[in-house]
Every structure is written in C-alpha cells, then in structure tokens.
Amino acid sequence: MEVLEIIDMLEDVVEKSMAIPFMGRAIVDREELLDLIQEIRLNLPGDLKQAKWVKDERQRILDEANKEAESIIKNAEEKMAGLIDDHEVTQKAYAQANEIVASAQNNARELRLGTKQYADDVLASLESRILKMAEIVRENRKELGETRKSLKK
C-alpha cells in the first residue's frame, strides 16, 4: 500500500468515527489509527528510495548530456581541423562549430534544468505528503488527548 492510500484510510477512520455531540470531537479506534500510522512508517522508506532514485536518475541524465555535449564539441573540432585549408570554408566551419557548441550547451542546460525541476517537483510532493501526514497525526493525537482528558473528568 502507498503512503497516500494509508493517509486516505486515516481520513476515512476519522470521518467515520462516532461524533461527540456539541463538542466537535469524535471517538476513534485507537488500534486502527496506530496500525495505519505503523503502515505509514513501513511505507515511507519506499517513497524516500523513490526520491533517491529520482536524484540518481537526474545525475545520470546530466552526465549523459555532458558526454553528448563533449562528443558534439569533439566532432565539431574534428570537422574544423579538416576544413582549415580553405579560408571561406574555415570561416563557415567556425560558425557552424560555434552553433553546434551553443546548441549542445543549450540542450545540456535545458536537460539539467528539466531534471532538476522534475526532482524538485517529486521532492516537493513528498515533502507535502509528509507534512500533511504529520499534521493529521498531530491533530489526531491532540483529539485523543482531549478525549482522554474529558473521559477522566
């Protein structure tokens, strides 16, 4: 089960709990909530592994883009060396080589930005999920504490 599914189940437990009239409170099955929280703890490492994979994949794509850029630059340099004899051809070769280098650098930059944005989006989503989970757990603990206090009276 994914963490978001478990959070949905937590919400269902809270929504289906027996309401205490005029208090805005509810009685929830403590064991069921604790079981769901334990499920979250068990599944959270999987989400963290996925975020690490995204980070590693981003680095792999960046490395690949850099290798491709180096290859394109090397090919451009080889083409330029072969055309040096003729001045007009040499000028065209320099211009084309510069375009290729600029294009390769632009492509590499776009790949880096895209992968960084993707990794940031995934990490932001994970952070949001974790914060939402923590808030739900905090609210439930607070409600449990208040329910416990009211039952002692």
Side-chain angles (χ1 to χ4, degrees):
M1 227 183 305
E2 286 190 28
V3 173
L4 290 178
E5 291 173 355
I6 299 169
I7 291 172
D8 289 341
M9 292 173 68
L10 273 171
E11 287 177 338
D12 288 344
V13 168
V14 171
E15 288 174 358
K16 293 177 183 176
S17 62
M18 187 172 80
I20 299 175
F22 307 110
M23 294 188 69
R25 306 279 186 249
I27 298 174
V28 294
D29 184 347
R30 179 180 178 170
E31 288 300 316
E32 187 174 2
L33 286 177
L34 291 174
D35 287 344
L36 292 172
I37 291 169
Q38 183 63 28
E39 282 288 321
I40 290 171
R41 283 193 178 117
L42 292 173
N43 285 302
L44 197 53
D47 287 346
L48 294 176
K49 285 179 187 175
Q50 182 181 8
K52 183 187 181 313
W53 177 85
V54 167
K55 179 184 165 227
D56 292 344
E57 186 66 12
R58 176 185 63 92
Q59 187 59 48
R60 184 193 66 76
I61 291 170
L62 286 173
D63 292 343
E64 189 176 298
N66 285 332
K67 285 180 185 176
E68 184 179 336
E70 288 173 10
S71 173
I72 290 171
I73 290 169
K74 184 179 178 183
N75 287 340
E77 288 172 350
E78 289 172 359
K79 283 182 181 180
M80 284 186 343
L83 300 173
I84 283 183
D85 293 336
D86 186 16
H87 181 68
E88 183 180 339
V89 174
T90 302
Q91 288 179 343
K92 287 181 181 179
Y94 277 121
Q96 187 178 13
N98 288 333
E99 288 177 17
I100 291 171
V101 169
S103 175
Q105 289 172 341
N106 190 37
N107 288 343
R109 183 175 41 257
E110 287 179 14
L111 280 172
R112 278 193 301 274
L113 291 175
T115 55
K116 285 180 182 180
Q117 181 63 46
Y118 177 73
D120 186 54
D121 290 346
V122 170
L123 292 173
S125 174
L126 179 60
E127 179 183 33
S128 174
R129 292 181 199 172
I130 290 170
L131 290 174
K132 185 176 178 182
M133 255 189 295
E135 183 62 32
I136 291 170
V137 169
R138 191 177 302 112
E139 289 174 9
N140 287 333
R141 287 189 68 217
K142 181 179 176 185
E143 287 182 15
L144 285 173
E146 291 173 2
T147 303
R148 203 174 345 135
K149 286 180 185 176
S150 67
L151 292 176
K152 285 183 180 179
K153 291 181 183 180

